[in-house]
Structure formats: C-alpha cells, structure tokens
Amino acid sequence: VRPVGHVISDRDRDSHILARLRMGFPAHHVAELKRQLGKAHDDLRRSHSSLGEQDEEKKVHRRLKSVFENIKGRMEKVIAAEKDNCNFMLVKFRRRGMVIWSAPDDVYTWSKP
C-alpha cells in the first residue's frame, strides 16, 4: 500500500499501482473450523474418559473420533490452501494525482470489503 503523499505520474508506470493485496480465506470461516475442532476434541476427550466395556459406548467413541478426524482434515486443507494461495488484487489509478489517504500501518488485514 502506497503511503500518503505518493505522487502518481504519467512518466512512471509503477506509480499507478497503489496497492497489492493478497487474497485469503475469510477469517470467520477459519474461526468456525477452529471452534468445531475444539468442540469435537472436547467431546472425544469426554467420551474417552467415560469409555467402558459396552459396545454402544465404543461405537459412539469411534463416531466422535471420525468426526474429529474429518474436521481436523478440513482444517489442514484450509491451512495448506491458505499457504499456497497466490491470488493478489492490484489497485491502480490511471490518472495523475496524489495519495491523500492510506490505511494505517498497523492495519494489514480486512475481513470485510
């Protein structure tokens, strides 16, 4: 992101590029997966501590373990996809001018447009 005061000129074609923003998954999607993973982990731990000799309890435990592994796999895929994501959005202004506003340096992510 270009700083305030950046001059956009006709002679320098790179000066027209005002920002290069990396695209990623919405933060709420990752947070929801983390919440589901934590809940599944707690349920699995609770089930494991009360695991007895009965077949029904073992079936429930296996089912919970399957749900946990499924969510964990989805989370790992999201993390891998986020890491390998190379989509960028360029913000350009094609006329002469000057940047009069820019996002503060400490703000580097936006979860909503």
Side-chain angles (χ1 to χ4, degrees):
V1 176
R2 300 282 188 174
V4 172
H6 169 74
V7 176
I8 305 164
S9 69
D10 290 332
R11 289 179 293 223
D12 183 10
R13 69 181 187 147
D14 288 340
S15 71
H16 294 274
I17 299 172
L18 302 182
R20 184 173 183 244
L21 306 174
R22 183 175 176 267
M23 306 302 281
F25 286 102
H28 66 85
H29 180 68
V30 176
E32 176 63 21
L33 274 176
K34 283 182 181 178
R35 187 193 66 75
Q36 289 177 3
L37 188 63
K39 184 181 179 305
H41 186 263
D42 292 344
D43 292 345
L44 185 62
R45 201 169 10 152
R46 223 177 293 119
S47 169
H48 186 70
S49 66
S50 66
L51 192 60
E53 295 295 322
Q54 297 178 357
D55 288 339
E56 189 63 34
E57 289 177 353
K58 288 182 180 181
K59 285 180 186 177
V60 169
H61 182 73
R62 279 196 300 270
R63 198 172 320 127
L64 287 173
K65 188 171 183 177
S66 172
V67 167
F68 175 75
E69 293 298 327
N70 184 354
I71 295 171
K72 186 177 176 184
R74 285 175 33 209
M75 186 69 172
E76 288 170 355
K77 285 179 184 177
V78 165
I79 290 170
E82 180 75 25
K83 193 168 88 172
D84 295 339
N85 185 6
C86 292
N87 293 326
F88 290 89
M89 180 178 77
L90 287 179
V91 178
K92 290 184 178 182
F93 190 74
R94 296 188 182 264
R95 296 185 182 200
R96 286 181 290 158
M98 181 183 295
V99 175
I100 59 170
W101 183 88
S102 181
D105 289 338
D106 61 323
V107 178
Y108 53 91
T109 61
W110 296 274
S111 60
K112 295 180 182 177

